[in-house]
Amino acid sequence: MLDREATPTDLDELREFVASRTGVEFYLEPETTATDTTVAAVAADGEWIRRRVGSARIASRLATELGVPLYDAGVLGYPAAMRRYRRS
């Protein structure tokens, strides 16, 4: 059973992240038994957020709307900058 489904607020937070950061890329993460399909949005400096999106189709539409690339995290992995990033 999923903890909760994606909401419009989740998508708005991804939009806000893209609008306020440079070089953002989306990394699609599949649905699991605990979590709905998610996207990790990663900025050029490695700052990132993860939000539920509901489906790969919605993630693709959002990436197209925002003009950011969408990668499959299970195939490509995550950028090194994301692993190095430290929140203040």
Side-chain angles (χ1 to χ4, degrees):
M1 177 178 245
L2 301 177
D3 55 346
R4 76 170 174 82
E5 293 182 358
T7 67
T9 300
D10 293 313
L11 301 180
D12 288 342
E13 288 175 0
L14 288 167
R15 287 182 181 98
E16 289 170 18
F17 188 84
V18 170
S20 61
R21 308 316 190 275
T22 59
V24 176
E25 300 172 328
F26 281 179
Y27 292 83
L28 183 67
E29 302 167 321
E31 178 181 323
T32 68
T33 56
T35 305
D36 202 356
T37 302
T38 56
V39 160
V42 184
D45 67 355
E47 182 181 4
W48 61 276
I49 64 168
R50 176 178 285 118
R51 297 293 182 269
R52 291 163 182 85
V53 290
S55 72
R57 192 174 87 226
I58 293 170
S60 179
R61 276 193 258 156
L62 184 62
T64 299
E65 169 193 325
L66 299 174
V68 300
L70 174 65
Y71 304 110
D72 185 329
V75 173
L76 189 63
Y78 298 96
M82 182 182 177
R83 293 186 293 278
R84 289 190 305 265
Y85 185 80
R86 298 287 181 253
R87 297 190 191 278
S88 49

